[in-house]
Amino acid sequence: MSLAQLFPYSVWECWWLAPVALIFDLWLGDPDLPWRHPVCAVGKLLDWLEAPARLFMRKNGPDAERQRGRFAGAVALAVLVGLTGVAAWGLVSLPVLGPLLALYLAWAGLALGSLLRTGQEVLRRVEHYDEPQAREALSWLVSRDTSSMDRPLMRKTLADTLSENLTDAFMAPFFWLLVGGPVAMWCYKAVSTTDSMWGYVTEKWRWLGFAGARGDDALAYVPARLSACAACLADRCAAICEQHLRFLPVRLRPVRRWQGRWPGFRVVARQAVGMPSPNSGWSMTVCAWLCGARMGGPSVYFGTLTPKPWLGPEQDEAAPWDSKRLLALCELLRYSALCGGLTLWLCFLVVSLPNF
């Protein structure tokens, strides 16, 4: 069996799938259909795998938990990725329905549009609801402890998670969609889901979640750097359009709503590599600079204070996060996905032209 048969509907043989999925995601959000989202099935399967994996980890006592837990986590991850990939391949290989199901899986695998809508709803609650209700709304999106956050910290935390997810919710799944179609995309989503559910450095998940966390780091390494490039490209495109398309009606004219500046790739790289994760800092750093406000900093996860560097301008140069700046960040992320995603698709398309 050839790679094209294993990974159907990649950009190498199906030029239209990725850009259509991108547009659907940004303008429509997640598919609103009678059945549950496919990622729920991936999460349920991972829940089912936890019990046997944990039983194997604890079989020989605490001294063996490190090795056995890492092994059990790796096996659970391999089973999850294999079953997810087989399911995706089976669906897109169906006669007649295959192209439609490929589009559905590609669309469902991207999550930035829905994330931005949810982020704007959380922002509305942070601005207008009582603080306990605002903290509860913020907890929909973040794993850190929100119980003692005031409104400025809630706004900054919302900015952190939205900008970090330019990689997780869009660029990484889109990259793997281009490389290997819906099958590769959903294999990546299985790894990403494992990292989201198990990849915590806590006593409960330290060993079982190791493989998922390292796997996600590896698969998102290139997309994270591409996310930084996408945000830079979006900033340049918005500035050019704002300058040269003034003849268009206001409703159709792209506007650069964010008020920060581009610091250069050396500054971005120097700040991004200081984060505990090798990938999260790239999109966060670029967005912090372009919005003119700081991100990162020490955060509380599961009752433990985790030291993180500050990203973006120095404190005396940075502005506070407010509603206007957060809405500008949402626009920046939407432009980044559109400009960066279509540019990356065009690059893949040029390389794949000999196959058509």
Side-chain angles (χ1 to χ4, degrees):
M1 184 178 286
S2 67
L3 284 176
Q5 291 172 312
L6 279 174
F7 299 100
Y9 297 99
S10 70
V11 73
W12 315 114
E13 61 176 37
C14 181
W15 64 269
W16 57 268
L17 182 63
V20 172
L22 185 157
I23 300 301
F24 278 16
D25 175 59
L26 291 182
W27 267 265
L28 300 176
D30 279 339
D32 187 12
L33 297 169
W35 54 87
R36 301 190 71 183
H37 195 283
V39 81
C40 296
V42 177
K44 285 290 186 183
L45 179 56
L46 187 61
D47 282 339
W48 180 83
L49 291 169
E50 180 188 348
R54 199 169 291 283
L55 183 65
F56 179 86
M57 179 182 73
R58 292 174 173 170
K59 188 174 182 181
N60 288 359
D63 293 339
E65 280 192 3
R66 183 176 184 270
Q67 281 187 321
R68 294 177 68 87
R70 286 186 173 185
F71 178 77
V75 171
L77 177 64
V79 171
L80 182 70
V81 170
L83 292 176
T84 303
V86 168
W89 182 86
L91 289 172
V92 302
S93 298
L94 289 173
V96 182
L97 292 177
L100 189 61
L101 290 170
L103 177 58
Y104 168 70
L105 290 176
W107 177 15
L110 302 175
L112 187 63
S114 292
L115 176 71
L116 293 178
R117 286 171 173 77
T118 304
Q120 289 172 335
E121 173 60 22
V122 171
L123 175 60
R124 187 181 70 84
R125 297 188 180 214
V126 168
E127 296 297 325
H128 301 295
Y129 283 38
D130 293 337
E131 285 195 354
Q133 294 173 299
R135 294 187 190 108
E136 181 184 1
L138 182 61
S139 68
W140 299 345
L141 293 178
V142 302
S143 57
R144 67 188 71 175
D145 184 8
T146 63
S147 60
S148 60
M149 289 185 179
D150 57 13
R151 292 190 196 273
L153 183 54
M154 282 190 270
R155 296 186 190 103
K156 199 277 297 179
T157 302
L158 180 59
D160 286 352
T161 195
L162 290 176
S163 58
E164 182 179 356
N165 273 285
L166 178 60
T167 298
D168 297 338
F170 175 75
M171 188 57 76
F174 188 75
F175 175 84
W176 289 107
L177 174 64
L178 291 171
V179 171
V183 176
M185 180 193 215
W186 278 92
C187 287
Y188 165 75
K189 293 287 286 185
V191 176
S192 176
T193 302
T194 304
D195 180 47
S196 299
M197 295 176 63
W198 289 11
Y200 299 105
V201 188
T202 62
E203 195 62 34
K204 181 178 181 180
W205 297 113
R206 183 185 304 273
W207 309 130
L208 282 183
F210 180 83
R214 297 292 79 78
D216 185 71
D217 289 345
L219 294 178
Y221 187 87
V222 171
R225 279 86 185 148
L226 292 175
S227 294
C229 297
C232 175
L233 179 64
D235 179 59
R236 293 292 187 266
C237 288
I240 292 170
C241 290
E242 192 174 40
Q243 182 178 357
H244 296 288
L245 299 180
R246 294 177 181 175
F247 59 88
L248 290 176
V250 175
R251 289 181 61 188
L252 300 178
R253 189 189 313 158
V255 179
R256 186 183 184 275
R257 301 186 188 280
W258 49 96
Q259 301 300 319
R261 63 184 177 87
W262 170 248
F265 272 108
R266 287 187 179 180
V267 174
V268 171
R270 185 172 66 248
Q271 291 191 348
V273 298
M275 292 289 282
S277 164
N279 299 325
S280 64
W282 289 85
S283 55
M284 290 175 67
T285 302
V286 175
C287 290
W289 277 100
L290 291 178
C291 291
R294 304 179 94 194
M295 293 189 193
S299 304
V300 177
Y301 294 88
F302 305 105
T304 302
L305 182 65
T306 302
K308 293 183 179 181
W310 287 101
L311 307 174
E314 294 296 330
Q315 188 169 4
D316 57 353
E317 183 186 348
W321 285 102
D322 56 19
S323 179
K324 182 179 178 181
R325 202 170 296 272
L326 277 161
L327 291 174
L329 172 62
C330 290
E331 285 297 298
L332 172 60
L333 294 172
R334 189 172 284 108
Y335 279 131
S336 299
L338 185 63
C339 296
L342 291 179
T343 301
L344 185 63
W345 168 71
L346 284 172
C347 292
F348 271 82
L349 196 63
V350 169
V351 174
S352 66
L353 281 177
N355 295 328
F356 289 98

